[in-house]
Amino acid sequence: MTGSVELSGLRLSNPLMLASGTWGFGETLSPEILRSVGALVTKGISLEPRAGNPPPRLSETPCGLLNSIGLENPGLAAFRKGILPRLLRIGPPVIVNILGESEEEFLRLAEGLRETGVAGLEVNISCPNVKKGGLAFSQDPDGVFRMVRRLREVWPGWMSVKLSPVGPVAEVAHAAEEGGASALTCANTYPALAIHPGPKGPYFHLGGLSGPAIKPLTLRLVYELSRRLRRPLIACGGILSGRDAYEYLLAGARAFQVGTATLLDPEAPRRILSELDELSRAD
Ligand SMILES: Cc1cc2nc3c(=O)[nH]c(=O)nc-3n(C[C@H](O)[C@H](O)[C@H](O)COP(=O)(O)O)c2cc1C
C-alpha cells in the first residue's frame, strides 16, 4: 500500500501527497521529508497576488483546526518565477492548486502553467464565482461540467478537481468526471464556526474545519463516491496516522493527502507512511 501508484497516467512513488496550503512552499519541512512524499500539492495560486484575511486566521477546536487564511498567495507570475523552479528541483511531482473567481481566471491560470514542468493541476472549486453572485463553483454541477470541459481544451495534462464536502457533492463529482477530470480530490474543509470571548464581546471566527473532526465525514464521502465514479479518488480529510490513511484506501481511495497533520508535526508524512507500511504488511 506504500508502493508506487498510478492515477490516470500520473505515477507517484507512494500514495501520500502533501495537501494544498498546509506546508507553505516547503520552507519549514526538511528536504528529506519533501523528497519522501508521492507528490507536492501547492497552496492555491490565483492570477493576481492575494493578501488573504486579517488575523486571527486559525482557531483550535477540540478535535480540529479552523482556518480563514483567505487564500493568501503570491499570484501566478511570482509563483512561476520565484517559487516553482525550487519546488520542481525537490523531486516529487508538483501539482499546482489553482483558484479563481471566474471560469476565465481558471482558464488563464491553466494556460499560464503550460510548459512549466508541473505534473498537473488541482482545481479548487470551493471559491465563489463572481459571475454567479458569489455562489461557489462547488455548488453548481452544470457550471463545474462547463468549466472542466473548457479547462480540458487548454490543459491536456493531468487534472484533479478538488471537491467541497458540502452541497451536491455526488452531482459535482460526476460533472467533473464527465467534463474530463483525471481524478477527484475528496475533499476540502467544512464550513464551521469558533466563538472566542474578547474584551469587546465575543469574536465569531468563520472558517473551514480540518483535522481529525472531519475524518469520519470525509471517509463516508470517499466510500460513497468511489462506488459511483470511474476516475481515481484522492482522499483528504483528517489523516493523522497510517491507520487513517489505511481506512481511506479501504474505503476506495487510490491515494491520499495529508494536511493538518503536517502543520501539527512536520515529521507526520514520514511517520504516516511507515505506519501504513506496517499495517499493510500485517494484512
Ligand atoms: C491552513 C490551511 C490552508 C489551506 N489552504 C488551501 C488552499 O490554498 N487550497 C485548497 O484547495 N485547500 C486548502 N486547504 C485545505 C487542505 O488542503 C485540506 O483539504 C483540508 O485541510 C483537509 O485535510 P486535513 O484534515 O488533512 O487538513 C487548507 C487547509 C488549511 C488547514
Side-chain angles (χ1 to χ4, degrees), residues 20-22 43 50-61 64-73 124 126 188-196 203-210 260 263:
S20 176
T22 59
K43 71 161 75 177
R50 284 172 69 137
N53 290 328
R57 291 169 157 198
L58 295 175
S59 283
E60 280 189 37
T61 71
L65 179 70
L66 188 149
N67 92 83
S68 56
I69 305 290
L71 303 168
E72 175 192 352
N73 78 92
N124 179 2
S126 301
N188 217 312
T189 53
Y190 290 70
L193 170 68
I195 301 180
H196 301 291
Y203 172 73
F204 291 76
H205 187 192
L206 291 159
L209 187 66
S210 62
T260 302
L263 285 175

mmCIF file of all heavy atoms in Angstrom, residues 20-22 43 50-61 64-73 124 126 188-196 203-210 260 263:
data_model
loop_
_atom_site.group_PDB
_atom_site.id
_atom_site.type_symbol
_atom_site.label_atom_id
_atom_site.label_comp_id
_atom_site.label_asym_id
_atom_site.label_seq_id
_atom_site.Cartn_x
_atom_site.Cartn_y
_atom_site.Cartn_z
ATOM 1 N N SER A 20 -2.773 20.831 -0.196
ATOM 2 C CA SER A 20 -2.657 22.255 -0.512
ATOM 3 C C SER A 20 -2.779 23.149 0.730
ATOM 4 O O SER A 20 -3.693 22.978 1.544
ATOM 5 C CB SER A 20 -3.774 22.603 -1.500
ATOM 6 O OG SER A 20 -3.776 23.969 -1.781
ATOM 7 N N GLY A 21 -1.871 24.109 0.838
ATOM 8 C CA GLY A 21 -1.985 25.164 1.849
ATOM 9 C C GLY A 21 -1.467 24.803 3.218
ATOM 10 O O GLY A 21 -1.494 25.642 4.120
ATOM 11 N N THR A 22 -1.001 23.570 3.403
ATOM 12 C CA THR A 22 -0.654 23.139 4.758
ATOM 13 C C THR A 22 0.846 22.908 4.948
ATOM 14 O O THR A 22 1.264 22.449 6.012
ATOM 15 C CB THR A 22 -1.414 21.852 5.124
ATOM 16 O OG1 THR A 22 -1.072 20.849 4.170
ATOM 17 C CG2 THR A 22 -2.905 22.065 5.109
ATOM 18 N N LYS A 43 -0.083 25.400 -2.411
ATOM 19 C CA LYS A 43 -1.236 26.172 -1.941
ATOM 20 C C LYS A 43 -1.932 26.793 -3.152
ATOM 21 O O LYS A 43 -1.359 26.847 -4.246
ATOM 22 C CB LYS A 43 -0.826 27.211 -0.911
ATOM 23 C CG LYS A 43 -0.034 28.382 -1.436
ATOM 24 C CD LYS A 43 -0.074 29.541 -0.458
ATOM 25 C CE LYS A 43 0.801 29.322 0.749
ATOM 26 N NZ LYS A 43 0.827 30.463 1.664
ATOM 27 N N ARG A 50 -2.804 37.632 -3.715
ATOM 28 C CA ARG A 50 -3.897 37.890 -2.757
ATOM 29 C C ARG A 50 -3.305 38.005 -1.365
ATOM 30 O O ARG A 50 -2.491 37.184 -0.953
ATOM 31 C CB ARG A 50 -4.902 36.735 -2.783
ATOM 32 C CG ARG A 50 -5.801 36.789 -4.028
ATOM 33 C CD ARG A 50 -6.647 35.568 -4.143
ATOM 34 N NE ARG A 50 -7.664 35.520 -3.098
ATOM 35 C CZ ARG A 50 -8.926 35.161 -3.315
ATOM 36 N NH1 ARG A 50 -9.332 34.824 -4.522
ATOM 37 N NH2 ARG A 50 -9.778 35.112 -2.336
ATOM 38 N N ALA A 51 -3.768 39.033 -0.643
ATOM 39 C CA ALA A 51 -3.226 39.292 0.700
ATOM 40 C C ALA A 51 -3.844 38.372 1.746
ATOM 41 O O ALA A 51 -3.280 38.170 2.819
ATOM 42 C CB ALA A 51 -3.477 40.741 1.081
ATOM 43 N N GLY A 52 -5.000 37.801 1.447
ATOM 44 C CA GLY A 52 -5.660 36.930 2.428
ATOM 45 C C GLY A 52 -6.408 37.738 3.467
ATOM 46 O O GLY A 52 -6.529 38.970 3.369
ATOM 47 N N ASN A 53 -6.911 37.052 4.474
ATOM 48 C CA ASN A 53 -7.731 37.690 5.513
ATOM 49 C C ASN A 53 -6.860 38.223 6.642
ATOM 50 O O ASN A 53 -5.772 37.716 6.887
ATOM 51 C CB ASN A 53 -8.715 36.668 6.087
ATOM 52 C CG ASN A 53 -9.791 36.300 5.083
ATOM 53 O OD1 ASN A 53 -10.188 37.128 4.268
ATOM 54 N ND2 ASN A 53 -10.245 35.062 5.123
ATOM 55 N N PRO A 54 -7.368 39.231 7.368
ATOM 56 C CA PRO A 54 -6.634 39.694 8.552
ATOM 57 C C PRO A 54 -6.662 38.616 9.642
ATOM 58 O O PRO A 54 -7.539 37.757 9.632
ATOM 59 C CB PRO A 54 -7.421 40.936 8.996
ATOM 60 C CG PRO A 54 -8.764 40.803 8.375
ATOM 61 C CD PRO A 54 -8.623 39.945 7.152
ATOM 62 N N PRO A 55 -5.709 38.661 10.601
ATOM 63 C CA PRO A 55 -5.741 37.693 11.701
ATOM 64 C C PRO A 55 -6.951 37.967 12.607
ATOM 65 O O PRO A 55 -7.490 39.081 12.563
ATOM 66 C CB PRO A 55 -4.418 37.949 12.430
ATOM 67 C CG PRO A 55 -3.960 39.301 12.003
ATOM 68 C CD PRO A 55 -4.613 39.608 10.675
ATOM 69 N N PRO A 56 -7.399 37.011 13.416
ATOM 70 C CA PRO A 56 -6.864 35.651 13.529
ATOM 71 C C PRO A 56 -7.295 34.787 12.352
ATOM 72 O O PRO A 56 -8.424 34.888 11.872
ATOM 73 C CB PRO A 56 -7.495 35.140 14.823
ATOM 74 C CG PRO A 56 -8.783 35.894 14.942
ATOM 75 C CD PRO A 56 -8.536 37.238 14.335
ATOM 76 N N ARG A 57 -6.384 33.932 11.916
ATOM 77 C CA ARG A 57 -6.677 33.070 10.775
ATOM 78 C C ARG A 57 -6.832 31.611 11.170
ATOM 79 O O ARG A 57 -7.248 30.808 10.365
ATOM 80 C CB ARG A 57 -5.523 33.175 9.781
ATOM 81 C CG ARG A 57 -5.441 34.529 9.112
ATOM 82 C CD ARG A 57 -4.149 34.616 8.372
ATOM 83 N NE ARG A 57 -4.209 35.588 7.311
ATOM 84 C CZ ARG A 57 -3.342 35.610 6.312
ATOM 85 N NH1 ARG A 57 -2.387 34.710 6.247
ATOM 86 N NH2 ARG A 57 -3.440 36.525 5.375
ATOM 87 N N LEU A 58 -6.411 31.292 12.385
ATOM 88 C CA LEU A 58 -6.506 29.900 12.830
ATOM 89 C C LEU A 58 -7.169 29.858 14.200
ATOM 90 O O LEU A 58 -6.867 30.682 15.063
ATOM 91 C CB LEU A 58 -5.119 29.263 12.952
ATOM 92 C CG LEU A 58 -4.294 29.095 11.680
ATOM 93 C CD1 LEU A 58 -2.907 28.557 12.022
ATOM 94 C CD2 LEU A 58 -4.977 28.149 10.693
ATOM 95 N N SER A 59 -8.093 28.920 14.389
ATOM 96 C CA SER A 59 -8.662 28.657 15.719
ATOM 97 C C SER A 59 -8.521 27.177 15.979
ATOM 98 O O SER A 59 -8.859 26.366 15.115
ATOM 99 C CB SER A 59 -10.161 28.964 15.762
ATOM 100 O OG SER A 59 -10.416 30.334 15.830
ATOM 101 N N GLU A 60 -8.045 26.845 17.184
ATOM 102 C CA GLU A 60 -8.019 25.427 17.539
ATOM 103 C C GLU A 60 -9.371 25.069 18.110
ATOM 104 O O GLU A 60 -9.924 25.790 18.928
ATOM 105 C CB GLU A 60 -6.936 25.173 18.577
ATOM 106 C CG GLU A 60 -5.575 25.074 17.933
ATOM 107 C CD GLU A 60 -4.517 24.611 18.900
ATOM 108 O OE1 GLU A 60 -4.817 23.753 19.756
ATOM 109 O OE2 GLU A 60 -3.396 25.130 18.793
ATOM 110 N N THR A 61 -9.932 23.949 17.668
ATOM 111 C CA THR A 61 -11.191 23.456 18.238
ATOM 112 C C THR A 61 -10.877 22.089 18.849
ATOM 113 O O THR A 61 -9.787 21.560 18.610
ATOM 114 C CB THR A 61 -12.287 23.346 17.147
ATOM 115 O OG1 THR A 61 -11.957 22.266 16.281
ATOM 116 C CG2 THR A 61 -12.414 24.628 16.335
ATOM 117 N N GLY A 64 -10.166 19.639 15.867
ATOM 118 C CA GLY A 64 -9.953 20.112 14.503
ATOM 119 C C GLY A 64 -9.362 21.507 14.505
ATOM 120 O O GLY A 64 -9.253 22.157 15.550
ATOM 121 N N LEU A 65 -8.988 21.936 13.310
ATOM 122 C CA LEU A 65 -8.397 23.260 13.141
ATOM 123 C C LEU A 65 -9.310 24.047 12.209
ATOM 124 O O LEU A 65 -9.724 23.533 11.168
ATOM 125 C CB LEU A 65 -7.018 23.093 12.499
ATOM 126 C CG LEU A 65 -6.242 24.364 12.221
ATOM 127 C CD1 LEU A 65 -5.777 24.979 13.541
ATOM 128 C CD2 LEU A 65 -5.023 24.055 11.342
ATOM 129 N N LEU A 66 -9.607 25.288 12.621
ATOM 130 C CA LEU A 66 -10.471 26.103 11.781
ATOM 131 C C LEU A 66 -9.590 27.183 11.151
ATOM 132 O O LEU A 66 -8.835 27.850 11.859
ATOM 133 C CB LEU A 66 -11.545 26.704 12.681
ATOM 134 C CG LEU A 66 -12.694 27.453 12.046
ATOM 135 C CD1 LEU A 66 -13.920 27.270 12.928
ATOM 136 C CD2 LEU A 66 -12.396 28.910 11.894
ATOM 137 N N ASN A 67 -9.616 27.312 9.826
ATOM 138 C CA ASN A 67 -8.773 28.339 9.201
ATOM 139 C C ASN A 67 -9.571 29.264 8.317
ATOM 140 O O ASN A 67 -10.577 28.884 7.713
ATOM 141 C CB ASN A 67 -7.593 27.694 8.454
ATOM 142 C CG ASN A 67 -7.912 27.432 6.992
ATOM 143 O OD1 ASN A 67 -7.809 28.326 6.143
ATOM 144 N ND2 ASN A 67 -8.323 26.203 6.692
ATOM 145 N N SER A 68 -9.089 30.502 8.275
ATOM 146 C CA SER A 68 -9.685 31.501 7.369
ATOM 147 C C SER A 68 -8.526 32.279 6.741
ATOM 148 O O SER A 68 -8.422 33.483 6.897
ATOM 149 C CB SER A 68 -10.619 32.435 8.141
ATOM 150 O OG SER A 68 -9.895 33.046 9.203
ATOM 151 N N ILE A 69 -7.632 31.529 6.099
ATOM 152 C CA ILE A 69 -6.436 32.139 5.517
ATOM 153 C C ILE A 69 -6.821 33.143 4.419
ATOM 154 O O ILE A 69 -6.143 34.142 4.203
ATOM 155 C CB ILE A 69 -5.504 31.042 4.916
ATOM 156 C CG1 ILE A 69 -5.160 29.978 5.949
ATOM 157 C CG2 ILE A 69 -4.258 31.652 4.290
ATOM 158 C CD1 ILE A 69 -4.265 30.382 7.075
ATOM 159 N N GLY A 70 -7.946 32.827 3.733
ATOM 160 C CA GLY A 70 -8.375 33.744 2.674
ATOM 161 C C GLY A 70 -7.541 33.576 1.417
ATOM 162 O O GLY A 70 -7.422 34.495 0.608
ATOM 163 N N LEU A 71 -6.950 32.402 1.262
ATOM 164 C CA LEU A 71 -6.245 32.044 0.026
ATOM 165 C C LEU A 71 -5.124 33.009 -0.320
ATOM 166 O O LEU A 71 -4.904 33.354 -1.486
ATOM 167 C CB LEU A 71 -7.257 31.891 -1.126
ATOM 168 C CG LEU A 71 -8.353 30.849 -0.831
ATOM 169 C CD1 LEU A 71 -9.485 30.929 -1.825
ATOM 170 C CD2 LEU A 71 -7.799 29.433 -0.782
ATOM 171 N N GLU A 72 -4.415 33.432 0.710
ATOM 172 C CA GLU A 72 -3.236 34.278 0.502
ATOM 173 C C GLU A 72 -2.232 33.555 -0.402
ATOM 174 O O GLU A 72 -1.939 32.372 -0.202
ATOM 175 C CB GLU A 72 -2.568 34.538 1.858
ATOM 176 C CG GLU A 72 -1.275 35.306 1.723
ATOM 177 C CD GLU A 72 -0.482 35.298 3.033
ATOM 178 O OE1 GLU A 72 -1.005 34.825 4.055
ATOM 179 O OE2 GLU A 72 0.654 35.758 3.004
ATOM 180 N N ASN A 73 -1.743 34.256 -1.422
ATOM 181 C CA ASN A 73 -0.721 33.644 -2.286
ATOM 182 C C ASN A 73 -0.068 34.733 -3.131
ATOM 183 O O ASN A 73 -0.617 35.817 -3.296
ATOM 184 C CB ASN A 73 -1.336 32.537 -3.142
ATOM 185 C CG ASN A 73 -2.113 33.056 -4.329
ATOM 186 O OD1 ASN A 73 -1.578 33.201 -5.418
ATOM 187 N ND2 ASN A 73 -3.390 33.385 -4.118
ATOM 188 N N ASN A 124 -9.356 24.033 -7.445
ATOM 189 C CA ASN A 124 -10.086 24.295 -6.203
ATOM 190 C C ASN A 124 -11.407 24.972 -6.537
ATOM 191 O O ASN A 124 -11.430 26.167 -6.846
ATOM 192 C CB ASN A 124 -9.231 25.180 -5.280
ATOM 193 C CG ASN A 124 -9.947 25.511 -3.980
ATOM 194 O OD1 ASN A 124 -11.072 25.055 -3.754
ATOM 195 N ND2 ASN A 124 -9.305 26.300 -3.145
ATOM 196 N N SER A 126 -13.894 25.371 -4.489
ATOM 197 C CA SER A 126 -14.586 25.902 -3.305
ATOM 198 C C SER A 126 -14.486 27.432 -3.246
ATOM 199 O O SER A 126 -14.484 28.004 -2.158
ATOM 200 C CB SER A 126 -14.008 25.304 -2.025
ATOM 201 O OG SER A 126 -14.126 23.913 -2.045
ATOM 202 N N ASN A 188 -12.246 19.214 0.451
ATOM 203 C CA ASN A 188 -11.761 20.428 1.115
ATOM 204 C C ASN A 188 -12.295 20.478 2.559
ATOM 205 O O ASN A 188 -12.850 19.499 3.053
ATOM 206 C CB ASN A 188 -12.206 21.649 0.301
ATOM 207 C CG ASN A 188 -11.146 22.733 0.287
ATOM 208 O OD1 ASN A 188 -10.619 23.073 1.342
ATOM 209 N ND2 ASN A 188 -10.828 23.262 -0.878
ATOM 210 N N THR A 189 -12.135 21.638 3.198
ATOM 211 C CA THR A 189 -12.577 21.792 4.596
ATOM 212 C C THR A 189 -14.097 21.986 4.677
ATOM 213 O O THR A 189 -14.748 22.273 3.671
ATOM 214 C CB THR A 189 -11.900 23.022 5.220
ATOM 215 O OG1 THR A 189 -12.137 24.133 4.363
ATOM 216 C CG2 THR A 189 -10.413 22.823 5.376
ATOM 217 N N TYR A 190 -14.631 21.867 5.899
ATOM 218 C CA TYR A 190 -16.072 22.029 6.149
ATOM 219 C C TYR A 190 -16.327 23.408 6.750
ATOM 220 O O TYR A 190 -15.623 23.807 7.697
ATOM 221 C CB TYR A 190 -16.540 20.970 7.157
ATOM 222 C CG TYR A 190 -16.556 19.564 6.599
ATOM 223 C CD1 TYR A 190 -15.368 18.902 6.320
ATOM 224 C CD2 TYR A 190 -17.752 18.894 6.334
ATOM 225 C CE1 TYR A 190 -15.371 17.605 5.795
ATOM 226 C CE2 TYR A 190 -17.767 17.605 5.814
ATOM 227 C CZ TYR A 190 -16.576 16.977 5.551
ATOM 228 O OH TYR A 190 -16.580 15.704 5.031
ATOM 229 N N PRO A 191 -17.337 24.137 6.261
ATOM 230 C CA PRO A 191 -17.632 25.443 6.843
ATOM 231 C C PRO A 191 -17.966 25.290 8.326
ATOM 232 O O PRO A 191 -18.752 24.405 8.695
ATOM 233 C CB PRO A 191 -18.871 25.930 6.081
ATOM 234 C CG PRO A 191 -19.042 25.002 4.935
ATOM 235 C CD PRO A 191 -18.279 23.742 5.220
ATOM 236 N N ALA A 192 -17.356 26.115 9.169
ATOM 237 C CA ALA A 192 -17.519 25.941 10.616
ATOM 238 C C ALA A 192 -17.353 27.277 11.335
ATOM 239 O O ALA A 192 -16.969 28.290 10.721
ATOM 240 C CB ALA A 192 -16.484 24.936 11.128
ATOM 241 N N LEU A 193 -17.631 27.266 12.618
ATOM 242 C CA LEU A 193 -17.565 28.487 13.428
ATOM 243 C C LEU A 193 -16.919 28.208 14.774
ATOM 244 O O LEU A 193 -17.223 27.196 15.417
ATOM 245 C CB LEU A 193 -19.000 29.020 13.656
ATOM 246 C CG LEU A 193 -19.181 30.155 14.660
ATOM 247 C CD1 LEU A 193 -18.550 31.457 14.143
ATOM 248 C CD2 LEU A 193 -20.667 30.395 14.953
ATOM 249 N N ALA A 194 -16.024 29.091 15.170
ATOM 250 C CA ALA A 194 -15.492 29.064 16.543
ATOM 251 C C ALA A 194 -15.830 30.417 17.162
ATOM 252 O O ALA A 194 -15.763 31.445 16.475
ATOM 253 C CB ALA A 194 -13.984 28.839 16.533
ATOM 254 N N ILE A 195 -16.192 30.426 18.441
ATOM 255 C CA ILE A 195 -16.507 31.696 19.110
ATOM 256 C C ILE A 195 -15.518 31.914 20.248
ATOM 257 O O ILE A 195 -15.342 31.041 21.097
ATOM 258 C CB ILE A 195 -17.961 31.706 19.642
ATOM 259 C CG1 ILE A 195 -18.940 31.483 18.468
ATOM 260 C CG2 ILE A 195 -18.273 33.034 20.335
ATOM 261 C CD1 ILE A 195 -20.402 31.468 18.865
ATOM 262 N N HIS A 196 -14.852 33.061 20.220
ATOM 263 C CA HIS A 196 -13.865 33.370 21.263
ATOM 264 C C HIS A 196 -14.345 34.557 22.081
ATOM 265 O O HIS A 196 -14.749 35.568 21.495
ATOM 266 C CB HIS A 196 -12.520 33.752 20.627
ATOM 267 C CG HIS A 196 -11.965 32.670 19.751
ATOM 268 N ND1 HIS A 196 -11.497 31.486 20.243
ATOM 269 C CD2 HIS A 196 -11.833 32.591 18.400
ATOM 270 C CE1 HIS A 196 -11.074 30.732 19.248
ATOM 271 N NE2 HIS A 196 -11.277 31.369 18.110
ATOM 272 N N TYR A 203 -15.952 37.029 19.751
ATOM 273 C CA TYR A 203 -15.464 37.136 18.384
ATOM 274 C C TYR A 203 -15.902 35.884 17.617
ATOM 275 O O TYR A 203 -15.650 34.763 18.049
ATOM 276 C CB TYR A 203 -13.934 37.270 18.371
ATOM 277 C CG TYR A 203 -13.374 37.192 16.984
ATOM 278 C CD1 TYR A 203 -13.547 38.258 16.100
ATOM 279 C CD2 TYR A 203 -12.742 36.038 16.525
ATOM 280 C CE1 TYR A 203 -13.087 38.169 14.792
ATOM 281 C CE2 TYR A 203 -12.275 35.949 15.223
ATOM 282 C CZ TYR A 203 -12.455 37.015 14.366
ATOM 283 O OH TYR A 203 -12.018 36.927 13.084
ATOM 284 N N PHE A 204 -16.578 36.086 16.506
ATOM 285 C CA PHE A 204 -17.098 34.966 15.714
ATOM 286 C C PHE A 204 -16.116 34.675 14.588
ATOM 287 O O PHE A 204 -15.952 35.497 13.689
ATOM 288 C CB PHE A 204 -18.486 35.316 15.142
ATOM 289 C CG PHE A 204 -19.546 35.397 16.200
ATOM 290 C CD1 PHE A 204 -19.622 36.491 17.047
ATOM 291 C CD2 PHE A 204 -20.462 34.371 16.363
ATOM 292 C CE1 PHE A 204 -20.589 36.563 18.047
ATOM 293 C CE2 PHE A 204 -21.429 34.432 17.346
ATOM 294 C CZ PHE A 204 -21.494 35.527 18.199
ATOM 295 N N HIS A 205 -15.474 33.539 14.670
ATOM 296 C CA HIS A 205 -14.479 33.179 13.652
ATOM 297 C C HIS A 205 -15.067 32.133 12.699
ATOM 298 O O HIS A 205 -15.228 30.971 13.045
ATOM 299 C CB HIS A 205 -13.213 32.638 14.331
ATOM 300 C CG HIS A 205 -12.080 32.409 13.383
ATOM 301 N ND1 HIS A 205 -10.943 31.719 13.721
ATOM 302 C CD2 HIS A 205 -11.913 32.790 12.087
ATOM 303 C CE1 HIS A 205 -10.133 31.694 12.678
ATOM 304 N NE2 HIS A 205 -10.697 32.321 11.677
ATOM 305 N N LEU A 206 -15.392 32.594 11.505
ATOM 306 C CA LEU A 206 -15.916 31.684 10.478
ATOM 307 C C LEU A 206 -14.753 31.173 9.649
ATOM 308 O O LEU A 206 -13.853 31.929 9.299
ATOM 309 C CB LEU A 206 -16.877 32.448 9.553
ATOM 310 C CG LEU A 206 -18.196 32.884 10.180
ATOM 311 C CD1 LEU A 206 -18.810 34.026 9.390
ATOM 312 C CD2 LEU A 206 -19.153 31.702 10.224
ATOM 313 N N GLY A 207 -14.773 29.893 9.361
ATOM 314 C CA GLY A 207 -13.669 29.363 8.553
ATOM 315 C C GLY A 207 -13.940 27.943 8.114
ATOM 316 O O GLY A 207 -15.077 27.452 8.189
ATOM 317 N N GLY A 208 -12.894 27.285 7.662
ATOM 318 C CA GLY A 208 -13.007 25.905 7.190
ATOM 319 C C GLY A 208 -12.383 24.975 8.209
ATOM 320 O O GLY A 208 -11.276 25.205 8.690
ATOM 321 N N LEU A 209 -13.111 23.916 8.562
ATOM 322 C CA LEU A 209 -12.632 22.969 9.577
ATOM 323 C C LEU A 209 -11.891 21.803 8.923
ATOM 324 O O LEU A 209 -12.355 21.223 7.937
ATOM 325 C CB LEU A 209 -13.824 22.433 10.376
ATOM 326 C CG LEU A 209 -13.493 21.558 11.577
ATOM 327 C CD1 LEU A 209 -12.773 22.360 12.671
ATOM 328 C CD2 LEU A 209 -14.762 20.926 12.156
ATOM 329 N N SER A 210 -10.720 21.491 9.489
ATOM 330 C CA SER A 210 -9.915 20.365 9.005
ATOM 331 C C SER A 210 -9.493 19.543 10.214
ATOM 332 O O SER A 210 -9.814 19.883 11.351
ATOM 333 C CB SER A 210 -8.684 20.894 8.272
ATOM 334 O OG SER A 210 -7.875 21.644 9.179
ATOM 335 N N THR A 260 -3.515 18.996 7.831
ATOM 336 C CA THR A 260 -3.346 19.489 9.195
ATOM 337 C C THR A 260 -2.265 18.730 9.963
ATOM 338 O O THR A 260 -1.532 19.324 10.763
ATOM 339 C CB THR A 260 -4.706 19.397 9.928
ATOM 340 O OG1 THR A 260 -5.648 20.181 9.175
ATOM 341 C CG2 THR A 260 -4.641 19.941 11.338
ATOM 342 N N LEU A 263 0.955 20.339 9.662
ATOM 343 C CA LEU A 263 1.042 21.603 10.422
ATOM 344 C C LEU A 263 1.363 21.312 11.888
ATOM 345 O O LEU A 263 2.105 22.041 12.536
ATOM 346 C CB LEU A 263 -0.285 22.358 10.361
ATOM 347 C CG LEU A 263 -0.646 23.085 9.071
ATOM 348 C CD1 LEU A 263 -2.060 23.652 9.195
ATOM 349 C CD2 LEU A 263 0.333 24.215 8.802
#
